Amino acid sequence: MDQQKIHPEQGKKRSNLYTVLFIGVCAIILIVLFKAPPETTKKLPYDEIHQKFYPMGKKEAEKFCPSCHDQDKIAPLPKDHPPKYRCLFCHKKEKPQ
Ligand code: HEC
Ligand code: HEC
């Protein structure tokens, strides 16, 4: 009781805030985990065009993607395409090599 008189409600408010922040952060992590484009994202096709990328490392293969998949190219990305920094993190290879 005495301590609360010295710091009226402050400590309590702060720990409530931390609880809310903590729950918020957990919720965000869960949402990101569940929303992260999982299996629904189209896989890197295993066809004549894309086959040659299978034996390459991801980083190496990704250098070639924009030559066709960029604005005004053969197969431009959809307008609402998410950030495209690392193609193969989202468009996984269809088959394990
Ligand atoms: C030589 C041009 C070319 C290059 C290089 C290329 N693509 Fe493609 N890509 C195409 C064309 C054309 C299509 C559409 C026809 C098809 O599915 O093969 C396509 C289709 C796709 C699709 C959609 C498949 C589907 O099911 O609709 C994905 C995903 C894709 N490419 C990813 C990639 C990635 C990742 C790379 C780099 C590793 C890459 N492409 C490199 C030409 C290319
Ligand atoms: C953050 C994840 C992510 C990254 C990185 C990414 N993509 Fe995508 N891409 C998607 C999603 C999600 C879609 C929506 C359609 C789907 O389900 O494939 C899409 C759609 C596409 C399509 C159209 C597929 C179709 O026919 O509907 C192509 C082609 C494609 N991406 C190529 C690429 C290329 C090339 C790169 C690298 C320059 C790349 N993507 C990077 C997530 C990603």
Side-chain angles (χ1 to χ4, degrees), residues 35-75:
K35 281 194 77 172
E39 306 309 314
T40 57
T41 304
K42 294 220 164 108
K43 301 245 164 89
L44 177 71
Y46 193 75
D47 57 14
E48 272 179 17
I49 301 172
H50 300 88
Q51 228 167 352
K52 58 175 170 289
F53 301 120
Y54 275 71
M56 291 183 196
K58 287 195 177 75
K59 244 187 166 146
E60 200 193 340
E62 280 160 354
K63 288 183 205 145
F64 298 92
C65 316
S67 67
C68 297
H69 293 289
D70 231 333
Q71 294 152 331
D72 309 325
K73 297 282 165 63
I74 308 171

Side-chain angles (χ1 to χ4, degrees), residues 37 40-42 65-66 69 75-78 81-87 90-91:
T40 57
T41 304
K42 294 220 164 108
C65 316
H69 293 289
L77 302 178
H81 191 277
K84 55 180 187 184
Y85 177 53
R86 294 295 310 268
C87 316
C90 298
H91 301 284

Side-chain angles (χ1 to χ4, degrees), residues 7 16-17 21 37 42 64 67 72 75 80-81 91-92 96-97:
H7 310 288
N16 280 345
L17 180 66
L21 281 178
K42 294 220 164 108
F64 298 92
S67 67
D72 309 325
D80 55 351
H81 191 277
H91 301 284
K92 300 236 153 68
Q97 326 149 38

